[in-house]
Amino acid sequence: MTSSPDRYVSTRGDTAPTDFAEALLRGMAPDGGLYMPTAWPTLGVDAWAPGRVYADMATQAMAPFIGDALPAGALDRALERLTAGFAPPEVTPLRRLEDGLYMLELFHGPTAAFKDLAMQLAAALSSEALQASGEQLTLVTATSGDTGAAAVAAFANTERVRLIVLHPHERVSPVQRRQMTTVDAPNVLNLAVRGDFDDCQRLVKGLLSDESLRAHGRFSSVNSINWARLAGQIPYYVSAVSQLAAMGEIRAPVFVVPTGNFGDAFAGIAARKMGLPVAGFVAAVNQNDALARAINDGVYARKAAVETASVSMDVQAPSNFERLVFEASGRDPAVTRTLFETFAAAGAVTLPPVLLAALRAQVSAVSVDEATTRSEIAHAYAAWGQVVCPHTAVALSAARGVDRALGPVIALSTAHPAKFGKDVAPVLGFAPDPPKVIRDLGDRAERFEVIAADAGAALAAVRGFS
Ligand SMILES: *Cc1c(COP(=O)(O)O)cnc(C)c1O
Protein backbone atom coordinates (compact mmCIF):
# COMPACT_ATOMS: atom_id res chain seq x y z
CA MET A 1 0.00 0.00 0.00
CA THR A 2 1.27 3.48 -0.76
CA SER A 3 0.91 5.87 2.16
CA SER A 4 -1.28 8.86 1.66
CA PRO A 5 -3.16 11.33 3.91
CA ASP A 6 -6.47 10.14 2.43
CA ARG A 7 -5.91 6.42 3.21
CA TYR A 8 -6.72 5.27 6.75
CA VAL A 9 -5.57 2.35 8.86
CA SER A 10 -6.48 1.33 12.39
CA THR A 11 -4.19 1.88 15.38
CA ARG A 12 -4.72 -1.82 16.12
CA GLY A 13 -3.63 -2.94 12.67
CA ASP A 14 -6.40 -5.37 11.75
CA THR A 15 -8.46 -3.30 9.31
CA ALA A 16 -8.15 -3.00 5.54
CA PRO A 17 -7.09 0.54 4.54
CA THR A 18 -10.10 2.72 3.84
CA ASP A 19 -11.00 6.23 2.73
CA PHE A 20 -12.15 9.39 4.52
CA ALA A 21 -15.88 8.78 3.96
CA GLU A 22 -15.72 5.34 5.56
CA ALA A 23 -13.62 6.57 8.50
CA LEU A 24 -16.12 9.42 8.94
CA LEU A 25 -19.28 7.28 8.86
CA ARG A 26 -17.88 4.42 10.94
CA GLY A 27 -16.20 6.46 13.68
CA MET A 28 -14.37 3.56 15.31
CA ALA A 29 -12.39 1.06 13.22
CA PRO A 30 -13.92 -2.46 13.06
CA ASP A 31 -11.01 -3.98 15.03
CA GLY A 32 -11.69 -1.67 17.99
CA GLY A 33 -8.89 0.74 17.11
CA LEU A 34 -8.93 4.34 15.89
CA TYR A 35 -8.47 5.44 12.30
CA MET A 36 -5.25 7.23 11.39
CA PRO A 37 -4.14 8.65 8.04
CA THR A 38 -1.25 6.65 6.57
CA ALA A 39 0.77 9.83 5.94
CA TRP A 40 0.77 13.46 7.08
CA PRO A 41 0.33 16.13 4.40
CA THR A 42 2.82 19.01 4.42
CA LEU A 43 1.83 22.63 4.88
CA GLY A 44 4.18 25.22 3.41
CA VAL A 45 5.15 28.40 5.29
CA ASP A 46 2.53 30.34 3.31
CA ALA A 47 -0.18 28.33 5.08
CA TRP A 48 0.06 30.45 8.24
CA ALA A 49 0.94 33.79 6.65
CA PRO A 50 -0.57 36.77 8.51
CA GLY A 51 -3.98 37.90 7.29
CA ARG A 52 -5.15 34.60 5.86
CA VAL A 53 -8.88 33.80 5.90
CA TYR A 54 -10.01 30.90 8.13
CA ALA A 55 -11.83 28.97 5.39
CA ASP A 56 -8.76 29.11 3.13
CA MET A 57 -6.46 27.82 5.88
CA ALA A 58 -8.99 25.09 6.69
CA THR A 59 -9.30 24.02 3.07
CA GLN A 60 -5.56 23.73 2.74
CA ALA A 61 -5.22 21.78 6.00
CA MET A 62 -8.16 19.42 5.48
CA ALA A 63 -8.47 18.72 1.73
CA PRO A 64 -5.50 16.28 1.65
CA PHE A 65 -7.25 14.10 4.26
CA ILE A 66 -10.39 13.86 2.13
CA GLY A 67 -8.86 13.32 -1.30
CA ASP A 68 -11.63 12.30 -3.71
CA ALA A 69 -13.74 10.45 -1.12
CA LEU A 70 -16.50 13.10 -1.11
CA PRO A 71 -18.38 14.89 -3.92
CA ALA A 72 -16.58 17.89 -5.45
CA GLY A 73 -17.09 21.06 -3.41
CA ALA A 74 -18.15 19.16 -0.26
CA LEU A 75 -15.45 20.70 1.94
CA ASP A 76 -16.11 24.22 0.61
CA ARG A 77 -19.82 23.90 1.38
CA ALA A 78 -19.09 22.51 4.85
CA LEU A 79 -16.68 25.34 5.66
CA GLU A 80 -19.12 27.94 4.39
CA ARG A 81 -21.74 26.59 6.77
CA LEU A 82 -19.24 26.42 9.65
CA THR A 83 -17.92 29.95 9.33
CA ALA A 84 -21.45 31.39 8.90
CA GLY A 85 -22.22 30.13 12.42
CA PHE A 86 -19.34 32.07 14.02
CA ALA A 87 -19.67 35.81 14.55
CA PRO A 88 -15.98 36.93 14.57
CA PRO A 89 -14.39 37.28 11.13
CA GLU A 90 -11.37 35.30 12.45
CA VAL A 91 -13.79 32.50 13.55
CA THR A 92 -11.37 31.62 16.38
CA PRO A 93 -9.91 35.00 17.46
CA LEU A 94 -6.59 35.16 19.29
CA ARG A 95 -6.59 37.55 22.24
CA ARG A 96 -3.40 38.99 23.78
CA LEU A 97 -3.61 38.88 27.60
CA GLU A 98 -0.15 40.18 28.53
CA ASP A 99 3.42 39.98 27.25
CA GLY A 100 3.95 36.51 25.82
CA LEU A 101 0.54 35.15 26.90
CA TYR A 102 -2.45 34.71 24.58
CA MET A 103 -5.86 33.05 24.58
CA LEU A 104 -7.40 31.37 21.51
CA GLU A 105 -11.19 31.76 21.72
CA LEU A 106 -12.93 28.69 20.34
CA PHE A 107 -16.41 29.34 21.74
CA HIS A 108 -18.04 31.77 19.30
CA GLY A 109 -20.17 29.12 17.58
CA PRO A 110 -23.83 28.01 17.76
CA THR A 111 -23.61 26.34 21.21
CA ALA A 112 -20.83 28.52 22.68
CA ALA A 113 -18.31 25.68 23.13
CA PHE A 114 -15.40 24.52 21.00
CA LYS A 115 -17.04 21.22 20.05
CA ASP A 116 -19.04 23.22 17.48
CA LEU A 117 -15.92 23.61 15.32
CA ALA A 118 -15.53 19.88 14.72
CA MET A 119 -19.18 18.89 14.94
CA GLN A 120 -20.47 21.37 12.36
CA LEU A 121 -17.95 20.06 9.85
CA ALA A 122 -18.59 16.41 10.71
CA ALA A 123 -22.34 16.92 10.17
CA ALA A 124 -21.99 18.66 6.84
CA LEU A 125 -19.42 16.16 5.56
CA SER A 126 -21.48 13.15 6.77
CA SER A 127 -24.47 14.47 4.88
CA GLU A 128 -22.34 14.79 1.73
CA ALA A 129 -21.00 11.25 2.11
CA LEU A 130 -24.48 9.79 2.66
CA GLN A 131 -25.89 11.71 -0.28
CA ALA A 132 -23.22 10.16 -2.46
CA SER A 133 -23.71 6.59 -1.18
CA GLY A 134 -27.50 6.72 -0.83
CA GLU A 135 -27.34 5.42 2.74
CA GLN A 136 -29.03 6.43 6.02
CA LEU A 137 -27.16 6.93 9.29
CA THR A 138 -28.37 6.71 12.89
CA LEU A 139 -26.11 8.31 15.49
CA VAL A 140 -26.39 7.74 19.22
CA THR A 141 -24.43 9.56 21.85
CA ALA A 142 -24.29 9.92 25.60
CA THR A 143 -23.56 13.40 26.89
CA SER A 144 -22.84 15.25 30.11
CA GLY A 145 -23.67 18.46 28.26
CA ASP A 146 -21.43 20.01 25.62
CA THR A 147 -21.20 17.11 23.15
CA GLY A 148 -24.96 16.62 23.00
CA ALA A 149 -25.65 20.31 22.52
CA ALA A 150 -23.06 20.63 19.74
CA ALA A 151 -24.32 17.44 18.06
CA VAL A 152 -27.96 18.55 18.12
CA ALA A 153 -27.08 21.97 16.71
CA ALA A 154 -24.94 20.37 14.01
CA PHE A 155 -27.14 17.45 12.94
CA ALA A 156 -30.64 18.98 13.35
CA ASN A 157 -32.49 18.65 10.05
CA THR A 158 -29.49 17.00 8.37
CA GLU A 159 -30.79 14.81 5.57
CA ARG A 160 -30.25 11.05 5.87
CA VAL A 161 -29.17 11.32 9.53
CA ARG A 162 -31.09 10.56 12.74
CA LEU A 163 -29.56 11.63 16.04
CA ILE A 164 -30.40 10.16 19.44
CA VAL A 165 -28.89 11.88 22.49
CA LEU A 166 -28.98 10.42 26.00
CA HIS A 167 -28.38 12.80 28.89
CA PRO A 168 -28.66 12.14 32.63
CA HIS A 169 -32.07 13.46 33.73
CA GLU A 170 -31.78 16.61 35.88
CA ARG A 171 -27.99 16.37 35.92
CA VAL A 172 -27.08 18.67 33.03
CA SER A 173 -27.20 22.45 33.39
CA PRO A 174 -30.46 24.15 32.33
CA VAL A 175 -28.62 25.96 29.49
CA GLN A 176 -27.12 22.73 28.18
CA ARG A 177 -30.45 20.93 28.44
CA ARG A 178 -32.30 23.69 26.60
CA GLN A 179 -29.64 23.77 23.88
CA MET A 180 -30.48 20.11 23.22
CA THR A 181 -34.22 20.07 23.79
CA THR A 182 -35.49 23.28 22.22
CA VAL A 183 -34.27 22.42 18.73
CA ASP A 184 -37.32 21.70 16.63
CA ALA A 185 -36.01 18.97 14.33
CA PRO A 186 -37.87 15.74 13.51
CA ASN A 187 -34.58 13.82 13.11
CA VAL A 188 -33.46 14.44 16.74
CA LEU A 189 -34.55 12.39 19.76
CA ASN A 190 -33.56 13.51 23.26
CA LEU A 191 -33.71 10.86 25.98
CA ALA A 192 -33.38 11.96 29.61
CA VAL A 193 -32.16 8.91 31.49
CA ARG A 194 -33.04 8.47 35.17
CA GLY A 195 -29.43 7.85 36.13
CA ASP A 196 -25.97 9.33 35.72
CA PHE A 197 -23.65 9.86 32.76
CA ASP A 198 -22.15 6.38 33.15
CA ASP A 199 -25.65 4.88 32.82
CA CYS A 200 -26.09 6.86 29.61
CA GLN A 201 -22.80 5.55 28.25
CA ARG A 202 -23.72 1.99 29.16
CA LEU A 203 -27.06 2.31 27.35
CA VAL A 204 -25.35 3.73 24.25
CA LYS A 205 -22.91 0.80 24.21
CA GLY A 206 -25.86 -1.59 24.40
CA LEU A 207 -27.67 0.14 21.56
CA LEU A 208 -24.56 0.13 19.37
CA SER A 209 -24.18 -3.62 19.76
CA ASP A 210 -27.86 -4.35 19.01
CA GLU A 211 -27.87 -5.91 15.55
CA SER A 212 -31.64 -5.42 15.06
CA LEU A 213 -31.18 -1.64 14.95
CA ARG A 214 -28.88 -1.92 11.94
CA ALA A 215 -31.81 -2.74 9.65
CA HIS A 216 -32.41 1.00 9.33
CA GLY A 217 -28.95 1.67 7.86
CA ARG A 218 -25.61 2.58 9.34
CA PHE A 219 -25.47 2.87 13.11
CA SER A 220 -22.68 4.75 14.82
CA SER A 221 -21.77 7.17 17.59
CA VAL A 222 -20.81 10.85 17.57
CA ASN A 223 -17.74 10.97 19.74
CA SER A 224 -14.35 12.52 19.75
CA ILE A 225 -12.58 9.46 18.35
CA ASN A 226 -14.00 10.26 14.90
CA TRP A 227 -11.14 11.20 12.60
CA ALA A 228 -13.24 13.82 10.83
CA ARG A 229 -13.76 15.66 14.10
CA LEU A 230 -10.03 15.67 14.75
CA ALA A 231 -9.28 16.90 11.25
CA GLY A 232 -11.78 19.72 11.80
CA GLN A 233 -9.75 20.91 14.78
CA ILE A 234 -6.45 21.26 12.93
CA PRO A 235 -7.31 24.56 11.17
CA TYR A 236 -7.56 26.67 14.33
CA TYR A 237 -3.98 25.82 15.26
CA VAL A 238 -2.90 27.10 11.85
CA SER A 239 -5.07 30.17 12.33
CA ALA A 240 -3.52 30.84 15.76
CA VAL A 241 0.00 30.95 14.28
CA SER A 242 -1.23 33.19 11.46
CA GLN A 243 -2.86 35.60 13.94
CA LEU A 244 0.24 35.56 16.11
CA ALA A 245 2.32 36.56 13.08
CA ALA A 246 -0.15 39.39 12.37
CA MET A 247 0.53 40.66 15.91
CA GLY A 248 4.23 40.76 15.10
CA GLU A 249 5.16 37.58 17.00
CA ILE A 250 7.03 35.22 14.72
CA ARG A 251 8.44 32.74 17.23
CA ALA A 252 6.83 29.28 17.41
CA PRO A 253 4.25 29.16 20.24
CA VAL A 254 3.63 26.72 23.06
CA PHE A 255 -0.02 25.59 23.06
CA VAL A 256 -1.70 24.79 26.37
CA VAL A 257 -4.80 22.67 25.79
CA PRO A 258 -7.53 21.97 28.38
CA THR A 259 -7.81 18.23 27.95
CA GLY A 260 -10.40 15.51 28.42
CA ASN A 261 -10.40 12.90 25.66
CA PHE A 262 -7.22 14.41 24.12
CA GLY A 263 -8.94 15.10 20.77
CA ASP A 264 -8.21 18.81 20.84
CA ALA A 265 -4.56 18.29 21.83
CA PHE A 266 -4.02 15.54 19.26
CA ALA A 267 -5.30 17.83 16.50
CA GLY A 268 -2.55 20.27 17.47
CA ILE A 269 0.05 17.52 17.41
CA ALA A 270 -1.19 16.58 13.93
CA ALA A 271 -0.77 20.21 12.84
CA ARG A 272 2.84 20.15 14.02
CA LYS A 273 3.44 16.92 12.10
CA MET A 274 2.15 18.79 9.05
CA GLY A 275 4.87 21.40 9.52
CA LEU A 276 3.22 24.05 11.68
CA PRO A 277 5.88 25.73 13.85
CA VAL A 278 5.07 24.80 17.47
CA ALA A 279 7.51 24.96 20.39
CA GLY A 280 5.53 22.52 22.54
CA PHE A 281 2.20 21.21 23.76
CA VAL A 282 0.97 21.12 27.34
CA ALA A 283 -2.12 19.04 28.11
CA ALA A 284 -3.83 20.66 31.12
CA VAL A 285 -6.14 18.26 32.93
CA ASN A 286 -8.29 18.61 36.05
CA GLN A 287 -8.19 16.16 38.95
CA ASN A 288 -9.13 13.38 36.54
CA ASP A 289 -5.44 13.05 35.83
CA ALA A 290 -4.84 9.63 34.23
CA LEU A 291 -3.13 11.28 31.26
CA ALA A 292 -0.86 13.44 33.43
CA ARG A 293 0.12 10.45 35.57
CA ALA A 294 0.88 8.43 32.43
CA ILE A 295 3.17 11.13 30.99
CA ASN A 296 4.76 12.16 34.30
CA ASP A 297 5.01 8.84 36.17
CA GLY A 298 5.07 6.36 33.27
CA VAL A 299 2.05 4.36 34.45
CA TYR A 300 -1.29 4.63 32.67
CA ALA A 301 -3.80 3.67 35.36
CA ARG A 302 -7.52 4.11 35.77
CA LYS A 303 -8.96 5.83 38.85
CA ALA A 304 -12.62 6.51 39.68
CA ALA A 305 -13.76 9.68 37.92
CA VAL A 306 -14.43 12.67 40.14
CA GLU A 307 -16.81 15.51 39.38
CA THR A 308 -15.11 18.86 38.82
CA ALA A 309 -16.11 22.33 37.67
CA SER A 310 -14.48 21.62 34.28
CA VAL A 311 -17.02 18.84 33.77
CA SER A 312 -16.36 18.34 30.04
CA MET A 313 -12.87 17.18 31.01
CA ASP A 314 -14.00 14.63 33.60
CA VAL A 315 -12.43 11.76 31.69
CA GLN A 316 -10.31 8.97 33.17
CA ALA A 317 -9.45 7.02 30.01
CA PRO A 318 -8.82 9.62 27.30
CA SER A 319 -9.77 7.89 24.07
CA ASN A 320 -7.38 9.74 21.76
CA PHE A 321 -4.37 8.82 23.90
CA GLU A 322 -4.33 5.71 21.69
CA ARG A 323 -3.54 7.85 18.67
CA LEU A 324 -0.64 9.47 20.50
CA VAL A 325 0.74 6.09 21.54
CA PHE A 326 0.42 4.81 17.98
CA GLU A 327 2.45 7.76 16.66
CA ALA A 328 4.99 7.68 19.48
CA SER A 329 5.57 3.95 19.00
CA GLY A 330 6.58 4.59 15.40
CA ARG A 331 3.09 3.49 14.26
CA ASP A 332 3.40 0.05 15.75
CA PRO A 333 -0.07 -1.57 15.97
CA ALA A 334 1.22 -4.49 18.08
CA VAL A 335 2.63 -2.20 20.76
CA THR A 336 -0.54 -0.08 20.68
CA ARG A 337 -2.91 -3.05 20.89
CA THR A 338 -1.01 -4.70 23.75
CA LEU A 339 -0.90 -1.51 25.74
CA PHE A 340 -4.61 -0.69 25.46
CA GLU A 341 -5.78 -4.28 25.84
CA THR A 342 -3.70 -4.56 29.03
CA PHE A 343 -5.13 -1.27 30.28
CA ALA A 344 -8.70 -2.41 29.52
CA ALA A 345 -8.20 -5.76 31.26
CA ALA A 346 -6.02 -4.77 34.22
CA GLY A 347 -6.87 -1.08 34.68
CA ALA A 348 -3.18 -0.16 34.63
CA VAL A 349 -0.17 -0.55 32.35
CA THR A 350 3.46 0.55 32.67
CA LEU A 351 4.75 2.44 29.63
CA PRO A 352 8.00 1.06 28.18
CA PRO A 353 10.85 3.61 28.65
CA VAL A 354 11.44 4.18 24.94
CA LEU A 355 7.73 4.82 24.37
CA LEU A 356 7.55 7.10 27.40
CA ALA A 357 10.45 9.21 26.12
CA ALA A 358 8.75 9.49 22.72
CA LEU A 359 5.46 10.54 24.36
CA ARG A 360 7.25 13.19 26.45
CA ALA A 361 8.83 14.57 23.30
CA GLN A 362 5.31 15.25 21.96
CA VAL A 363 3.52 16.64 24.99
CA SER A 364 3.88 17.47 28.66
CA ALA A 365 0.97 17.33 31.09
CA VAL A 366 -0.16 19.25 34.15
CA SER A 367 -3.02 18.55 36.55
CA VAL A 368 -4.87 21.51 38.07
CA ASP A 369 -7.00 21.12 41.20
CA GLU A 370 -10.37 22.70 41.95
CA ALA A 371 -9.13 25.44 44.29
CA THR A 372 -6.53 26.52 41.73
CA THR A 373 -9.19 26.50 38.99
CA ARG A 374 -11.34 28.87 41.05
CA SER A 375 -8.46 31.19 41.88
CA GLU A 376 -7.51 31.26 38.20
CA ILE A 377 -11.05 32.40 37.30
CA ALA A 378 -10.57 35.24 39.81
CA HIS A 379 -7.09 36.03 38.48
CA ALA A 380 -8.26 36.20 34.85
CA TYR A 381 -10.85 38.80 35.82
CA ALA A 382 -8.56 40.81 38.08
CA ALA A 383 -5.53 40.81 35.78
CA TRP A 384 -7.08 40.98 32.30
CA GLY A 385 -10.79 41.75 32.79
CA GLN A 386 -11.62 38.37 31.27
CA VAL A 387 -14.51 36.22 32.49
CA VAL A 388 -13.49 32.64 31.71
CA CYS A 389 -15.07 29.19 32.07
CA PRO A 390 -13.54 26.55 34.37
CA HIS A 391 -12.02 24.59 31.42
CA THR A 392 -10.29 27.71 30.19
CA ALA A 393 -9.13 28.46 33.75
CA VAL A 394 -7.44 25.04 33.93
CA ALA A 395 -5.54 25.90 30.74
CA LEU A 396 -4.65 29.42 31.89
CA SER A 397 -3.31 28.16 35.20
CA ALA A 398 -1.04 25.70 33.40
CA ALA A 399 -0.13 28.36 30.80
CA ARG A 400 1.08 30.81 33.44
CA GLY A 401 3.46 28.11 34.64
CA VAL A 402 5.15 27.75 31.24
CA ASP A 403 8.57 29.38 30.77
CA ARG A 404 7.98 32.13 28.19
CA ALA A 405 11.57 31.84 27.03
CA LEU A 406 10.35 28.77 25.12
CA GLY A 407 8.10 30.98 23.00
CA PRO A 408 4.80 32.84 23.23
CA VAL A 409 2.23 30.81 25.18
CA ILE A 410 -1.29 30.28 23.82
CA ALA A 411 -4.01 28.87 26.10
CA LEU A 412 -7.04 27.45 24.33
CA SER A 413 -10.35 28.81 25.60
CA THR A 414 -12.98 26.15 25.02
CA ALA A 415 -16.34 27.39 26.32
CA HIS A 416 -18.21 30.60 27.00
CA PRO A 417 -18.34 31.26 30.78
CA ALA A 418 -22.13 31.74 30.69
CA LYS A 419 -22.48 27.98 30.04
CA PHE A 420 -20.90 27.41 33.45
CA GLY A 421 -22.40 30.29 35.43
CA LYS A 422 -23.00 28.08 38.47
CA ASP A 423 -19.22 27.70 38.92
CA VAL A 424 -18.12 31.13 37.74
CA ALA A 425 -20.65 33.36 39.53
CA PRO A 426 -19.70 32.34 43.11
CA VAL A 427 -16.06 33.21 42.40
CA LEU A 428 -16.68 36.58 40.73
CA GLY A 429 -19.82 37.64 42.58
CA PHE A 430 -21.81 38.16 39.36
CA ALA A 431 -23.23 35.95 36.63
CA PRO A 432 -21.45 36.05 33.24
CA ASP A 433 -23.42 37.81 30.49
CA PRO A 434 -24.89 35.20 28.16
CA PRO A 435 -23.91 35.41 24.48
CA LYS A 436 -26.62 35.85 21.84
CA VAL A 437 -26.86 32.11 21.10
CA ILE A 438 -27.85 31.46 24.73
CA ARG A 439 -30.18 34.50 25.02
CA ASP A 440 -31.93 33.30 21.86
CA LEU A 441 -32.94 30.03 23.54
CA GLY A 442 -35.52 32.18 25.35
CA ASP A 443 -38.42 30.12 26.60
CA ARG A 444 -38.90 27.92 23.56
CA ALA A 445 -40.72 24.64 24.19
CA GLU A 446 -38.58 21.65 25.18
CA ARG A 447 -38.94 18.17 23.73
CA PHE A 448 -37.49 15.14 25.50
CA GLU A 449 -38.57 11.75 26.73
CA VAL A 450 -37.69 10.55 30.25
CA ILE A 451 -36.71 6.88 30.41
CA ALA A 452 -35.51 4.44 33.05
CA ALA A 453 -31.79 3.57 33.07
CA ASP A 454 -32.28 0.16 31.54
CA ALA A 455 -31.51 -1.35 28.17
CA GLY A 456 -35.12 -2.34 27.44
CA ALA A 457 -36.40 1.19 27.92
CA ALA A 458 -33.65 2.62 25.69
CA LEU A 459 -34.34 0.08 22.96
CA ALA A 460 -38.09 0.71 23.06
CA ALA A 461 -37.55 4.48 22.79
CA VAL A 462 -35.21 4.07 19.83
CA ARG A 463 -37.56 1.62 18.08
CA GLY A 464 -40.44 4.03 18.54
CA PHE A 465 -38.48 6.81 16.83
CA SER A 466 -38.69 6.62 13.07
C1 LIG B 1 -14.79 18.53 25.29
C2 LIG B 1 -14.26 19.72 25.98
C3 LIG B 1 -12.90 19.81 26.39
C4 LIG B 1 -11.92 18.67 26.22
O1 LIG B 1 -11.60 18.41 24.88
P1 LIG B 1 -10.96 16.99 24.47
O2 LIG B 1 -10.84 17.05 23.00
O3 LIG B 1 -11.96 15.94 24.93
O4 LIG B 1 -9.66 16.87 25.17
C5 LIG B 1 -12.47 20.98 26.98
N1 LIG B 1 -13.31 22.01 27.20
C6 LIG B 1 -14.61 21.97 26.85
C7 LIG B 1 -15.48 23.13 27.14
C8 LIG B 1 -15.14 20.83 26.22
O5 LIG B 1 -16.43 20.79 25.87
Side-chain angles (χ1 to χ4, degrees):
M1 180 192 68
T2 45
S3 304
S4 160
D6 63 354
R7 299 298 293 168
Y8 294 83
V9 291
S10 166
T11 50
R12 306 238 174 141
D14 276 345
T15 304
T18 192
D19 68 0
F20 181 86
E22 192 63 20
L24 165 68
L25 297 179
R26 269 188 181 274
M28 180 168 278
D31 64 358
L34 278 56
Y35 283 115
M36 285 284 281
T38 51
W40 297 108
T42 310
L43 294 169
V45 288
D46 294 345
W48 51 86
R52 286 202 79 197
V53 173
Y54 191 90
D56 294 345
M57 289 184 275
T59 303
Q60 196 179 348
M62 293 181 71
F65 292 116
I66 298 173
D68 56 9
L70 294 179
L75 180 58
D76 293 340
R77 289 188 288 276
L79 285 166
E80 204 166 293
R81 180 184 143 175
L82 170 82
T83 54
F86 282 70
E90 305 89 346
V91 180
T92 57
L94 184 71
R95 183 186 292 274
R96 186 182 170 283
L97 296 175
E98 61 185 46
D99 254 3
L101 183 63
Y102 301 79
M103 185 165 84
L104 184 66
E105 297 181 350
L106 306 176
F107 55 76
H108 294 285
T111 70
F114 96 107
K115 289 193 172 62
D116 286 329
L117 283 151
M119 205 72 87
Q120 291 282 325
L121 288 174
L125 297 176
S126 297
S127 168
E128 298 271 0
L130 294 164
Q131 213 76 21
S133 70
E135 294 168 294
Q136 308 281 334
L137 172 66
T138 301
L139 293 167
V140 285
T141 189
T143 185
S144 56
D146 281 349
T147 300
V152 170
F155 285 96
N157 297 312
T158 296
E159 275 179 59
R160 296 179 174 277
V161 181
R162 301 189 305 166
L163 173 68
I164 299 161
V165 181
L166 285 73
H167 71 264
H169 187 41
E170 291 174 345
R171 293 194 200 192
V172 299
S173 78
V175 169
Q176 290 176 323
R177 190 192 67 239
R178 278 160 50 219
Q179 285 183 322
M180 295 188 277
T181 60
T182 60
V183 173
D184 186 18
N187 70 325
V188 173
L189 174 65
N190 280 292
L191 297 177
V193 176
R194 289 192 197 281
D196 59 18
F197 175 60
D198 288 336
D199 291 318
C200 296
Q201 279 193 305
R202 182 170 49 78
L203 295 183
V204 164
K205 271 208 180 120
L207 291 170
L208 285 169
S209 61
D210 190 301
E211 288 300 321
S212 72
L213 292 175
R214 294 184 184 266
H216 204 86
R218 283 178 182 263
F219 207 74
S220 168
S221 183
V222 207
N223 51 35
S224 70
I225 57 147
N226 195 300
W227 172 256
R229 276 182 63 184
L230 269 171
Q233 295 176 316
I234 295 172
Y236 53 72
Y237 285 95
V238 183
S239 167
V241 175
S242 163
Q243 292 181 69
L244 204 54
M247 294 177 183
E249 177 56 84
I250 54 159
R251 290 175 305 157
V254 175
F255 284 102
V256 183
V257 187
T259 292
N261 269 317
F262 202 73
D264 197 357
F266 191 82
I269 289 171
R272 180 168 59 186
K273 290 191 178 289
M274 293 162 68
L276 190 72
V278 178
F281 289 98
V282 180
V285 300
N286 61 31
Q287 280 172 291
N288 296 288
D289 60 352
L291 181 80
R293 285 181 286 115
I295 303 278
N296 296 327
D297 309 340
V299 181
Y300 184 41
R302 207 192 300 275
K303 264 196 333 206
V306 295
E307 203 173 304
T308 75
S310 49
V311 57
S312 299
M313 292 152 52
D314 289 349
V315 174
Q316 269 297 347
S319 43
N320 286 290
F321 185 46
E322 181 160 342
R323 286 193 160 104
L324 185 68
V325 166
F326 182 69
E327 280 293 309
S329 70
R331 304 194 143 225
D332 187 328
V335 167
T336 309
R337 174 183 285 278
T338 304
L339 197 141
F340 286 95
E341 286 182 350
T342 307
F343 176 74
V349 58
T350 300
L351 305 172
V354 176
L355 178 65
L356 184 58
L359 290 170
R360 287 176 176 163
Q362 296 291 332
V363 64
S364 59
V366 176
S367 166
V368 176
D369 67 26
E370 290 295 277
T372 309
T373 303
R374 282 192 297 273
S375 66
E376 192 64 27
I377 291 172
H379 178 86
Y381 190 65
W384 314 305
Q386 294 295 311
V387 181
V388 300
C389 85
H391 312 75
T392 303
V394 168
L396 285 169
S397 170
R400 288 199 298 126
V402 174
D403 179 1
R404 292 182 201 172
L406 296 172
V409 179
I410 301 178
L412 271 54
S413 176
T414 47
H416 192 286
K419 285 193 90 170
F420 299 92
K422 123 180 139 24
D423 302 293
V424 175
V427 176
L428 297 182
F430 61 88
D433 282 336
K436 184 173 184 307
V437 288
I438 292 178
R439 288 197 311 272
D440 285 354
L441 291 174
D443 46 14
R444 278 187 227 150
E446 296 190 48
R447 294 188 314 148
F448 61 94
E449 200 177 310
V450 182
I451 63 165
D454 74 61
L459 198 58
V462 172
R463 287 229 172 91
F465 177 56
S466 51

